[in-house]
Amino acid sequence: MTAPHTARRGSPALLDRIGLPKPLIWGFVGLLLFMIGDGVESGYIAPFLAANGAGTETGAAVIITAYGLIVTAGSWLAGALSDVWGPRRVMLAGLIVWGVFEVLFLAVAVPAQDFTLMLIIYGVRGFGYPLFAYGFLVWILATSPEKRLGSAVGWFYFAFTGGLPTLGSLMASGTEPVIGEYLTLWVSLIMVVAGGIVALVGIRAARGGERLAAPGVTARQSILNSISLAYKNPRIGAGCLIRLINTAPQYGFLVYMPTVFATGLGFGTAGWLQLIFTLGFANIFANLFFGVLSDRLGWHRTLRWFGCIGSAVSSLCLYFVPQLVGPNYWVALICAAFYGITLAGFTPISVLMSLMAPGQKGNAVALLNLGAGAATFIGPLIVAVFLATVGAGGVTVIFASLYLAAGFAVRWLKVPEDAQVSNAQPAKEAEPART
């Protein structure tokens, strides 16, 4: 009788040690499935759009940029609305928007090969995944103990990037040669709906899913407060920019790297999709590693050296090393994995943003999400503006320079002293670095 009792008690202890909130486990599973569906298109959406109504690679970049603008708005609203609606309702809204507008995109816009329809419908669908995913992130940050925040956020990004682009691209690399790009997008819709149902049903009884704001605070007030917070607390604004820089190059790479690797180096679409899978596969486990490491080594040190500086180096390697070596697929795989690992070094930014504004966690997360969403159009926008003049190599250098700038800006992410007690780094690490 004692053995089963011990096992039941031991499981929660294990989950606590690895920073995985037990009441939200099915939320992580559902998020993974949702993001697999969302990530199916990530490796080939640009050429697919160009061949089905966008006309050119530039036209596809315009549609993806518009999509990114909507993602930015949805990412910001996910945090602000979670305060007043509750994360549960925000996630449900994201699931409905994604499903409805994906059906319209596949059943109406693509068959019509109409640029304007694609621009509008695919763009509005951009509200879907940030409302669902970042609504869940607010739920996590609202319920997890501070001493395990880094680890809990690591698990969030494990599920998030495990789907987008990792397992999503892997699924596409298997289905695209068999059923084609168009039918593969219908498969992605099934995955998204399944993930949404698993998450919302599985965590329906978990605390933290209801309204977080004080009584009387309206949605309009919450949204306005999230804007004013960046001015009242400039460090929050700096954190928003660092989060933007985190993934802006990644989204930019998805616009022009398919041509570089699939066509220029001769790896083909399937080869490129497998490179994305490798990048994401390395990233999902690195997210867990850096989440736990940051709780011990320090949030600031992990972010600066492994995230910002590391990504500057790895982004240059991703483009230039295969160009120098030639069409060696194993070299390309190693470079993709290296970049994926360093991206995970940005994991502590979510923790820092949630702690820099005590009492306004939802609004701080709204600005964090704003940076994450802005990355989806700033990256492609940089490509659209500079690709024709400086080429793929020049754009890559621009992205690496942004990472270096982010590393310098980490010095301003000061956390209040009372939030330092759960972090292993010395309190002085929270102060701006002296050079």
Side-chain angles (χ1 to χ4, degrees):
M1 295 297 292
T2 56
H5 181 66
T6 302
R8 287 194 299 269
R9 294 185 58 184
S11 179
L14 173 62
L15 294 176
D16 180 66
R17 285 197 298 271
I18 62 177
L20 183 59
K22 186 174 184 294
L24 299 180
I25 286 180
W26 286 109
F28 289 98
V29 174
L31 176 65
L32 175 62
L33 294 175
F34 187 104
M35 298 313 297
I36 288 174
D38 189 79
V40 161
E41 67 184 35
S42 60
Y44 70 85
I45 191 62
F48 177 82
L49 291 173
N52 290 275
T56 64
E57 190 175 86
T58 300
V62 170
I63 293 175
I64 294 171
T65 300
Y67 168 82
L69 284 168
I70 301 299
V71 168
T72 301
S75 300
W76 165 48
L77 290 173
L81 293 178
S82 289
D83 263 1
V84 291
W85 289 0
R88 180 182 291 106
R89 288 180 61 191
V90 171
M91 292 174 67
L92 177 61
L95 174 61
I96 292 172
V97 168
W98 205 104
V100 169
F101 282 90
E102 180 72 352
V103 169
L104 291 174
F105 176 70
L106 296 176
V108 179
V110 172
Q113 303 231 334
D114 186 297
F115 177 84
T116 303
L117 276 178
M118 295 178 78
L119 181 68
I120 295 172
I121 294 174
Y122 186 76
V124 175
R125 202 206 75 186
F127 279 114
Y129 96 72
L131 289 177
F132 184 88
Y134 296 128
F136 184 52
L137 177 60
V138 175
W139 202 332
I140 294 169
L141 291 171
T143 58
S144 301
E146 280 189 10
K147 66 179 181 178
R148 293 287 185 266
L149 275 176
S151 303
V153 170
W155 280 105
F156 169 82
Y157 284 109
F158 175 87
F160 186 101
T161 59
L164 174 67
T166 316
L167 294 177
S169 295
L170 181 64
M171 174 181 287
S173 71
T175 59
E176 185 270 337
V178 178
I179 63 175
E181 296 174 343
Y182 179 69
L183 290 179
T184 292
L185 292 176
W186 282 104
V187 173
S188 74
L189 174 63
I190 296 172
M191 292 295 297
V192 165
V193 173
I197 292 173
V198 166
L200 291 170
V201 173
I203 60 175
R204 65 188 183 280
R207 69 180 182 88
E210 304 305 324
R211 179 187 175 95
L212 303 174
V217 176
T218 65
R220 179 175 176 273
Q221 288 173 330
S222 182
I223 292 171
L224 292 177
N225 287 341
S226 70
I227 298 173
S228 64
L229 182 60
Y231 298 97
K232 294 177 181 177
N233 190 339
R235 292 184 178 89
I236 294 289
C240 177
L241 291 175
I242 291 173
R243 179 61 184 89
L244 185 157
I245 293 171
N246 175 194
T247 48
Q250 181 183 9
Y251 287 108
F253 289 153
L254 292 175
V255 175
Y256 69 93
M257 286 295 191
T259 301
V260 171
F261 285 96
T263 304
L265 292 171
F267 296 148
T269 300
W272 162 245
L273 291 173
Q274 287 164 12
L275 281 177
I276 296 178
F277 168 74
T278 301
L279 185 159
F281 186 78
N283 178 257
I284 59 176
F285 290 101
N287 278 320
L288 291 179
F289 173 76
F290 285 122
V292 175
L293 179 68
S294 68
D295 285 335
R296 292 168 171 78
L297 178 64
W299 300 313
H300 295 79
R301 291 192 185 101
T302 303
L303 174 60
R304 179 185 296 117
W305 293 108
F306 293 100
C308 302
I309 306 302
S311 294
V313 174
S314 64
S315 60
L316 293 174
C317 290
L318 180 63
Y319 176 79
F320 287 104
V321 171
Q323 296 298 313
L324 293 173
V325 174
N328 185 314
Y329 197 68
W330 282 105
V331 171
L333 284 173
I334 292 172
C335 292
F338 181 30
Y339 181 60
I341 289 170
T342 58
L343 280 178
F346 281 85
T347 297
I349 188 63
S350 299
V351 178
L352 291 169
M353 287 287 280
S354 71
L355 295 178
M356 283 192 294
Q360 300 185 71
K361 186 167 293 188
N363 289 329
V365 172
L367 287 169
L368 170 75
N369 295 343
L370 177 63
T376 65
F377 83 89
I378 292 295
L381 179 61
I382 290 173
V383 176
V385 171
F386 293 104
L387 184 62
T389 55
V390 301
V395 173
T396 304
V397 171
I398 291 173
F399 286 146
S401 300
L402 289 175
Y403 281 129
L404 292 176
F408 180 78
V410 170
R411 63 191 294 166
W412 288 299
L413 302 186
K414 182 180 179 180
V415 175
E417 290 293 330
D418 58 358
Q420 294 294 321
V421 294
S422 62
N423 190 237
Q425 67 188 96
K428 66 181 180 180
E429 175 64 15
E431 300 293 335
R434 304 288 187 240
T435 57

